[in-house]
Amino acid sequence: GRQRRQRRRRWAARAHVARGGCAPMDADAALSTALERIEAARTGSGRSIDLSGLGLRWLPEELFDALGGELSMLEDISLASNALTELPDRFDELPGLKRLALAGNALAELPGSLCRCARLEGLWVHGNALRALPEDIGQLRALSQLSCAGNELSTLPDSLGELRALRSLSVAGNRLRALPATLGNLSSLETLEAHGNALEALPESASKLYALRSLMLQGNALGGHGCLDALGGMRGLEVLNVASNARLEALPCGAALLPRLVEVTAYGTALSRLPEGMLVQDGGAADARRLRAVWLGGSSLDP
């Protein structure tokens, strides 16, 4: 009704000013569509709202007022695939928030209030321009999925190790040279994607990742004595990828004792041998002992 029309005018005016008085029509249309979806969520019984793919460059305060008002108990919000460069620091006004999709924007940082969303279970911020994660991210004790691949991260906060419920972590495609020493505290972690960085070694504490099933480390700078010694403690590991680490010359002996390891990918390395017991020779043919798949093409082991 009248309030809705007033909000439309406010949003259009703010868009007009923010763009030097020449707001393109598609920007107004995006804001209008966002308002329509918010109104539909208000009148419906759902606990989710999808504002993805609208080309939004900013979130008007009016929009966040709506989210913090009648829609304060929303559980699922998608703002993915827009053009957002910043977010209001008001996420603590959403006490019911469980899933937040922010992938595919242009965010350089995340607001600190996001770390006070005590029920947040899934956070997807891949494909942005993040230079750092909030120092207090460890407060998200319910978080089970965190995807921050494809950003500009050079370090990860130590508080990451406080995410004891985390099952899936993706930090692929960043600028990381090391993972935090607290990584081993992630007792529930099952999947770690850290490929496409500049990692030189795993932290010693990673040997305590007993629940880890899949470890993706391809395309890093792994090399040097003991860089992967932590593998020996990952007794739940099933899939290991260390391909395209040109300086990697050996896997630790402990890797041969991992009871659930079934797949190893190590092409594009300097491996000259596998740990004793990982493969056996029978009539000149390499048979896997436990392993179902081994990819070594392009390494020093390639016949």
Side-chain angles (χ1 to χ4, degrees):
R2 181 179 179 183
Q3 290 182 343
R4 180 177 176 179
R5 289 193 297 272
Q6 289 175 338
R7 277 194 295 269
R8 282 181 187 269
R9 286 195 293 269
R10 285 200 301 268
W11 286 16
R14 290 187 61 174
H16 188 70
V17 171
R19 293 161 178 77
C22 55
M25 291 300 293
D26 61 337
D28 289 344
L31 293 170
S32 177
T33 301
L35 183 56
E36 290 174 358
R37 294 184 184 182
I38 292 171
E39 292 291 339
R42 274 202 185 101
T43 58
S45 56
R47 292 189 175 269
S48 65
I49 188 167
D50 184 1
L51 300 178
S52 62
L54 298 180
L56 297 171
R57 297 184 183 181
W58 45 272
L59 289 182
E61 292 295 329
E62 291 85 353
L63 169 58
F64 227 81
D65 287 343
L67 294 177
E70 299 98 316
L71 303 179
S72 62
M73 293 310 294
L74 276 174
E75 297 180 353
D76 196 331
I77 300 175
S78 178
L79 293 164
S81 302
N82 283 291
L84 299 171
T85 58
E86 59 181 353
L87 296 170
D89 196 10
R90 297 175 57 180
F91 280 89
D92 48 358
E93 298 175 22
L94 302 171
L97 188 61
K98 291 185 177 181
R99 290 167 293 276
L100 177 61
L102 295 168
N105 282 284
L107 298 170
E109 61 180 1
L110 298 176
S113 59
L114 186 60
C115 298
R116 296 191 288 276
C117 295
R119 298 183 182 180
L120 194 65
E121 298 174 359
L123 177 60
W124 296 271
V125 294
H126 48 279
N128 278 279
L130 297 175
R131 295 185 293 270
L133 296 180
E135 288 295 329
D136 293 332
I137 197 169
Q139 294 181 9
L140 298 174
R141 302 301 170 84
L143 197 66
S144 63
Q145 293 183 310
L146 174 59
S147 176
C148 46
N151 281 282
E152 300 176 12
L153 302 173
S154 57
T155 61
L156 297 174
D158 287 339
S159 67
L160 191 75
E162 299 173 22
L163 301 176
R164 304 299 174 86
L166 197 64
R167 297 198 309 272
S168 175
L169 172 62
S170 178
V171 293
N174 281 283
R175 301 175 180 178
L176 299 170
R177 291 185 173 274
L179 297 174
T182 57
L183 185 71
N185 295 333
L186 300 177
S187 55
S188 300
L189 194 64
E190 297 178 358
T191 300
L192 174 56
E193 297 178 349
H195 49 282
N197 282 284
L199 299 175
E200 298 178 355
L202 287 176
E204 182 179 347
S205 69
S207 63
K208 297 187 293 183
L209 295 176
Y210 306 131
L212 195 66
R213 299 172 58 185
S214 176
L215 178 58
M216 300 289 105
L217 294 172
Q218 65 268 33
N220 277 284
L222 297 172
H225 179 71
C227 67
L228 291 176
D229 280 357
L231 287 177
M234 299 177 184
R235 55 187 182 229
L237 194 64
E238 299 175 2
V239 178
L240 171 65
N241 192 327
V242 292
S244 300
N245 282 278
R247 297 191 303 115
L248 184 63
E249 298 180 351
L251 296 178
C253 294
L257 303 176
L258 297 176
R260 298 184 180 179
L261 188 62
V262 295
E263 182 178 312
V264 175
T265 304
Y267 58 80
T269 67
L271 285 171
S272 59
R273 61 181 176 82
L274 290 175
E276 185 176 354
M278 183 172 281
L279 293 177
V280 296
Q281 297 294 326
D282 182 12
D287 295 329
R289 180 188 296 175
R290 290 188 307 273
L291 295 179
R292 291 202 301 261
V294 182
W295 285 278
L296 299 173
S299 77
S300 299
L301 290 168
D302 195 27

